[in-house]
Amino acid sequence: MKSTTQTQRWYGYFFMGLSGVAALLALALTMPVMDHALLLTTALALLVYGVTYQPRVSRGWWRVLLGVSLTVMAIDLIMVLTLAAELVPALFSFALPFAFLGVVLGYLHRHVLTA
């Protein structure tokens, strides 16, 4: 029987794989720019969520994920402000992935190794 840690690690691998599938779909399918950005933002959130299931995360990896997340958020917000005809619905479509990503990164911060 698998231990809880091993099972949780496999949950993390599942969400990381799901993130990869979402990223591949965003690159392979033809869709509007806003939909590409939303799918890539969701893929990033799933990747970070998958990392939270790993037993140890180094501070360097957490900083990389935080930097990439902030960069993606800035690009998405700039894109919403410059390309969206209806600003409010486009902004709300990104609100859920951003909120989820912020909560997950905050949770992950508690489990980062200090070494």
Side-chain angles (χ1 to χ4, degrees), residues 19-97:
S19 169
V21 169
L24 287 175
L25 284 174
L27 296 174
L29 297 177
T30 57
M31 58 181 75
V33 175
M34 292 295 290
D35 292 337
H36 276 287
L38 185 59
L39 195 54
L40 287 173
T41 303
T42 304
L44 178 64
L46 286 171
L47 175 68
V48 173
Y49 185 63
V51 169
T52 62
Y53 279 103
Q54 301 309 309
R56 293 190 177 126
V57 178
S58 70
R59 185 172 296 275
W61 278 110
W62 182 80
R63 286 182 178 166
V64 167
L65 288 171
L66 182 64
V68 168
S69 299
L70 291 174
T71 302
V72 166
M73 183 165 77
I75 291 170
D76 286 344
L77 288 176
I78 289 169
M79 187 172 43
V80 165
L81 293 173
T82 58
L83 298 178
E86 300 88 13
L87 179 64
V88 175
L91 195 57
F92 282 139
S93 67
F94 285 104
L96 185 60

Side-chain angles (χ1 to χ4, degrees), residues 2-25:
K2 289 184 181 180
S3 71
T4 304
T5 304
Q6 289 173 329
T7 303
Q8 287 180 343
R9 186 175 296 139
W10 282 106
Y11 286 155
Y13 293 151
F14 171 75
F15 284 110
M16 287 182 219
L18 198 58
S19 169
V21 169
L24 287 175
L25 284 174

